[in-house]
Amino acid sequence: MKQADIISAWKPVVAIAGPTAIGKSRIGIEVAKILNTEILTADSRQVYRGMDIGTDKPSLAEQQNIPHRLIDLVDPDQSFNAGDFRRHAILDIARLHRLGLLPLVIGGTGLYIRALLRGLCPGPPANWLIRSELAQEAKLQGPAFLYEKLQQVDPELAQRLHPNDQPKVQRGLEVYRILGAPLSVIQQQHRFDEAPYPYLFIGLTMKRQTLYQRIETRVDWEIQKGLVEETHSLMKQGFPRELGSMKGLGYRQFSGFLAGNYSYEEAVRLLKRDTRHFAKRQMTWFQKESEIQWITLDESDIPDRAAAKIVDHINQFLSTFENLPLPAEATSHLKSTQSSG
């Protein structure tokens, strides 16, 4: 059976994840070239328009070479969450399956990938009165105050979150106030076991010291490309520092510098430190994914060499469908196609 037929019949999905600065975007482009497919980006920061350097968004040349979907979806002052990502991604996946192309999901936002591959944990709808009260508490008492409250009612969720990740901290408190139960308990009961697609989940890893060196280089490159100027431009356009989008790596540190809170040198130091901490949290998240297949990279693994390793895994994954009976839906479609011909 041809690979395109397998994809159309079984509707598989491949996800490639890893910490920031490990090189997954460039590696993913090489994989997409080999497979002649598109990249579906699972990155909670690249969805924002105008936030290019600080999110390491693919260049226009890279996007013209290999189509990248699920980026530049909303403005920095618009909300966007895992449910929004899942709805957008499902449409692109269906389109690629119809074309016989393998959907290639690449990114570092673990919740987005989990929601897509294994379903989204149901939760109560937004309660705007509670959200307003929590936002007011954060304004008066500071973000640390709400984080401490979350530690009291949902210590497991608090352990997974950074104290400055106020949207998620406040959502945890909101859910607790609505249901009287910790969000982490609700997530455990759901277990994210509603897999809509057969999938291969590949994780990229490398020695911590090597990754930290890459982070240093990445931050220096972003600054050279104009990260400070990009942050200044966003602030001039009226996007305040309090926005969730502006609290992303790079924008948070340099908006503080531009506001006069600390020196340029301190902003660089904070960005490098916070990026290391973020990469560590990403790895902690992905290591909890039991079905992930790890590929360890080293300094000699240039993108095309790493891509070759990944494609080997993908070919093995797709070969498992060759001797299986076609799903009923695919069999019916095949019969109708034959009869109409």
Side-chain angles (χ1 to χ4, degrees):
M1 184 183 296
K2 294 179 180 178
Q3 192 169 98
D5 294 332
I6 290 175
I7 293 168
S8 296
W10 288 97
K11 298 177 172 48
V13 170
V14 170
I16 302 173
T20 187
I22 201 168
K24 55 187 174 292
S25 298
R26 276 63 187 177
I27 294 169
I29 287 174
E30 296 303 318
V31 174
K33 286 179 183 177
I34 296 170
L35 298 176
N36 188 32
T37 190
E38 302 175 4
I39 290 175
L40 308 184
T41 303
D43 189 301
S44 63
R45 300 300 174 183
Q46 291 189 11
V47 299
Y48 295 113
R49 303 184 191 103
M51 307 186 92
D52 302 331
I53 299 171
T55 64
D56 194 33
K57 200 173 289 178
S59 67
L60 290 177
E62 288 172 328
Q63 294 184 47
Q64 288 172 355
N65 218 354
I66 295 294
H68 286 66
R69 311 299 180 186
L70 308 178
I71 61 175
D72 294 331
L73 297 177
V74 294
D75 290 328
D77 57 353
Q78 293 178 273
S79 63
F80 195 89
N81 57 35
D84 296 320
F85 169 80
R86 189 170 188 266
R87 285 189 289 274
H88 281 276
I90 286 173
L91 294 175
D92 272 316
I93 288 172
R95 175 179 56 81
L96 292 173
H97 283 155
R98 286 194 298 270
L99 296 172
L101 301 178
L102 181 66
L104 194 60
V105 181
I106 300 176
T109 302
L111 179 59
Y112 281 15
I113 297 175
R114 180 184 290 179
L116 177 62
L117 299 182
R118 296 166 57 192
L120 190 63
C121 177
N127 184 308
W128 294 105
L129 177 60
I130 293 176
R131 288 193 177 188
S132 177
E133 292 173 353
L134 291 170
Q136 187 66 16
E137 287 184 55
K139 185 176 181 180
L140 295 175
Q141 305 286 345
F145 176 75
L146 291 187
Y147 184 72
E148 289 171 4
K149 292 183 72 171
L150 184 65
Q151 287 178 311
Q152 295 171 10
V153 301
D154 195 344
E156 183 176 336
L157 178 62
Q159 188 177 17
R160 299 203 307 258
L161 299 180
H162 190 281
N164 289 334
D165 192 350
Q166 280 298 294
K168 292 179 183 175
V169 170
Q170 292 182 26
R171 176 58 175 168
L173 290 171
E174 177 191 12
V175 170
Y176 186 80
R177 288 193 188 181
I178 294 171
L179 301 180
L183 179 58
S184 61
V185 172
I186 297 169
Q187 291 172 339
Q188 287 173 358
Q189 291 172 344
H190 178 261
R191 296 188 183 277
F192 293 94
D193 55 2
E194 300 170 4
Y197 313 102
Y199 63 84
L200 171 65
F201 194 177
I202 294 174
L204 303 180
T205 186
M206 63 172 45
K207 291 180 180 178
R208 181 175 297 181
Q209 195 55 44
T210 303
L211 180 62
Y212 286 176
Q213 290 171 357
R214 292 177 64 94
I215 287 172
E216 293 270 332
T217 302
R218 161 89 162 266
V219 169
D220 292 339
W221 179 86
E222 288 178 341
I223 293 170
Q224 184 180 356
K225 289 285 288 184
L227 176 57
V228 181
E229 292 78 7
E230 183 174 77
T231 304
H232 187 228
S233 174
L234 289 163
M235 294 172 70
K236 284 181 65 177
Q237 292 174 58
F239 298 119
R241 297 170 58 194
E242 293 74 23
L243 287 175
S245 59
M246 291 295 286
K247 292 179 181 177
L249 287 170
Y251 306 107
R252 180 172 76 245
Q253 292 78 9
F254 281 116
S255 63
F257 156 66
L258 292 168
N261 293 353
Y262 39 74
S263 69
Y264 170 83
E265 291 75 17
E266 177 65 2
V268 175
R269 186 192 72 81
L270 288 172
L271 177 52
K272 291 182 177 180
R273 182 203 67 182
D274 294 347
T275 305
R276 291 194 298 270
H277 291 173
F278 177 64
K280 186 177 180 180
R281 291 197 302 275
Q282 285 178 300
M283 286 304 299
T284 299
W285 174 285
F286 290 126
Q287 285 166 356
K288 292 179 181 179
E289 298 290 345
S290 60
E291 296 182 341
I292 202 165
Q293 296 185 23
W294 289 102
I295 294 179
T296 301
L297 307 178
D298 57 44
E299 295 177 75
S300 65
D301 277 322
I302 55 178
D304 57 349
R305 188 179 302 162
K309 295 181 182 180
I310 292 172
V311 171
D312 284 344
H313 278 70
I314 293 173
N315 287 335
Q316 291 175 26
F317 167 64
L318 294 177
S319 70
T320 62
F321 298 98
E322 290 180 354
N323 297 319
L324 296 177
L326 285 172
E329 180 182 342
T331 304
S332 300
H333 177 72
L334 183 60
K335 287 180 179 178
S336 65
T337 303
Q338 290 173 342
S339 61
S340 62

